[in-house]
């Protein structure tokens, strides 16, 4: 069930990262704010390129948002579960919590997919929250039952296994290694398993599909390994340096792998996992050094507010966006009416679209700050 809780930050340092990491909350807040920003332009016809996904192969800043969030989900697993195990909680209790949380997050994702009409004939089953739920489940189970070396081996194994499948196992009617929208093995699996219950555009594949969830679990596991690193007895400077160096190695390997297994978000290729996971490691290292080590926190307060209520923000923004597209005002949708009258009336279409998106985020910042001041933090 959804819970309301209050959080208190401890200021004293400890050998292990048993206290709440403000840098992780800020990283989560920056990521979820970016997700809301790119999902809610004034018009989809006019968007600055950094706020668009790459057409297929390649990447833009927008393509970093989802893997960053999955990475953060992974980081939080050791920080939460290790303390509970050390305090005497049984694994059975944690398994129950994991299953409940997985079901709730998956169900919320299904609800958002159908809102407000819930037409079952072509109801999309995959989605962002659904993938988060599945990756959280498997990453949690792996963490609770394996050591760090095994987790490293599983992560590498998942990436190599997925690469082998996509490059050497052909989809019927297509050549092995076909990485097109229609011909890739993950696209074929989505069409066979999910049928019409995939992403609405073309019904050819789903960007959060079945087979591509395998490497997405590896993204979460990179986060799990990072969370375990943060709990070691290394100094905070050593932890920050270790994350940055590990991130650089992952970026380099991912970029090299890109030459024969292209970076691709929709297919969630193995090169994409390492490249984005490496960048996530480096960005967390920077936030950790700046906020938790150097103590520069004031600039990050809005993102901390977002980060402490990330699920509430994502769900609320999704519902509002759906209503903006359904409520009619003056012969058009409410969202388009706001865009045309409040933004397009004084700015060029592309800048008006950006101003709409920024204003959308700021409205939710006010709402989340109200919850923050009342110490209401919605969790699942």
């Amino acid at each position: 069930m959804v819970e309301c809780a209050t959080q208190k930050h401890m200021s004293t340092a400890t050998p292990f990262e048993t206290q709440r990491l403000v840098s992780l909350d800020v990283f989560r807040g920056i990521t979820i704010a970016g997700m809301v920003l790119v999902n809610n332009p004034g018009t989809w016809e006019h968007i600055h390129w950094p706020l668009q996904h790459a057409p297929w192969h390649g990447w833009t800043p927008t393509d970093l948002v989802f893997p960053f969030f999955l990475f953060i989900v992974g980081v939080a697993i050791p920080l939460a579960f290790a303390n509970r195990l050390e305090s005497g909680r049984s694994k059975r209790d944690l398994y129950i919590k994991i299953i409940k949380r997985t079901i709730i997050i998956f169900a919320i994702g299904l609800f958002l997919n159908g809102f407000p009409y819930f037409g079952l004939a072509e109801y999309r089953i995959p989605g962002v929250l659904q993938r988060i739920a599945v990756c959280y489940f498997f990453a949690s189970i792996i963490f609770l039952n394996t050591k760090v070396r095994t987790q490293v081996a599983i992560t590498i194994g998942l990436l190599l296994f997925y690469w082998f499948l996509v490059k050497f196992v052909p989809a019927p009617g297509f050549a092995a290694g076909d990485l097109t929208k229609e011909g890739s093995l993950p696209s074929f699996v989505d069409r066979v398993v999910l049928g019409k219950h995939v992403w609405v555009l073309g019904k050819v594949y789903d960007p959060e599909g079945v087979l591509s969830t395998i490497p997405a679990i590896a993204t979460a596991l990179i986060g799990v390994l990072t969370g375990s690193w943060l709990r070691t007895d290394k100094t905070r400077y050593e932890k920050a340096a270790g994350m940055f160096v590990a991130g650089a190695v992952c970026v380099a390997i991912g970029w090299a792998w890109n030459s024969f297994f292209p970076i691709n978000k929709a297919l969630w290729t193995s090169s994409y996992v390492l490249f984005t996971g490496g960048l996530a490691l480096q960005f967390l290292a920077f936030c950790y050094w700046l906020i938790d080590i150097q103590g520069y926190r004031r600039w990050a307060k809005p993102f901390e507010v977002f980060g402490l209520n990330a699920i509430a923000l994502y769900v609320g923004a999704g519902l509002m966006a759906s209503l903006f597209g359904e409520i009619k005002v003056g012969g058009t949708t409410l969202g388009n009416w706001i865009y045309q009258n409040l933004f397009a009336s004084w700015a060029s279409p592309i800048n008006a679209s950006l101003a709409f998106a920024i204003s959308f985020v700021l409205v939710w910042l006010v709402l989340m700050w109200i919850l923050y001041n009342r110490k209401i933090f919605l969790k699942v």
Side-chain angles (χ1 to χ4, degrees), residues 44-98:
W44 290 102
E45 297 176 358
H46 301 284
I47 309 174
H48 287 284
W49 76 263
L51 303 182
Q52 301 182 59
H53 289 292
W56 192 241
H57 295 324
W59 66 282
T60 71
T62 297
D63 293 312
L64 303 179
V65 173
F66 193 10
F68 276 22
F69 200 87
L70 269 183
F71 169 83
I72 293 165
V73 169
V75 174
I77 289 171
L79 300 182
F81 288 174
N83 292 338
R84 290 169 181 168
L85 286 173
E86 290 167 1
S87 65
R89 291 279 294 273
S90 68
K91 281 190 177 182
R92 179 180 178 278
D93 291 339
L94 291 180
Y95 289 146
I96 292 173
K97 180 178 178 63
I98 290 166

Side-chain angles (χ1 to χ4, degrees), residues 164-178 183-186 188:
F164 177 83
L165 285 179
V166 175
K167 290 292 287 185
F168 298 103
V169 178
F174 298 91
D178 190 325
S184 72
L185 184 64
F188 170 76

